[in-house]
Amino acid sequence: MQDAVSLIGKTISIDELNYVVVKVFFVPNAVSKHHDLYFGLQKADNIVINYSYETLLPYFKEQIKL
């Protein structure tokens, strides 16, 4: 895909903290469409925090470029 950017390995900043996208999770039987896609973001201390797609979309749009 020419106009697509892989998010794995990309760094994004949320509330002045940097995270690296390390995993993507799909929840097949999610309770709603708002909870079916999650990203695992790794902090500097190697702890991975899961964020929903909807929460991260504004950060991706602002910070990730071609």
Side-chain angles (χ1 to χ4, degrees):
M1 295 175 60
Q2 291 180 333
D3 294 335
V5 175
S6 175
L7 295 173
I8 301 296
K10 295 289 190 239
T11 300
I12 62 169
S13 180
I14 301 172
D15 297 329
E16 300 182 18
L17 292 174
N18 290 329
Y19 298 89
V20 177
V21 179
V22 293
K23 298 183 183 227
V24 179
F25 302 99
F26 174 67
V27 182
N29 297 318
V31 294
S32 78
K33 65 179 183 177
H34 305 287
H35 301 285
D36 55 2
L37 192 60
Y38 285 86
F39 288 84
L41 304 183
Q42 188 173 38
K43 300 185 332 183
D45 58 6
N46 293 327
I47 293 175
V48 176
I49 300 173
N50 297 322
Y51 281 90
S52 72
Y53 165 77
E54 287 190 346
T55 301
L56 293 177
L57 188 57
Y59 297 100
F60 289 152
K61 286 183 174 184
E62 177 186 324
Q63 299 176 31
I64 305 295
K65 305 295 180 207
L66 284 175

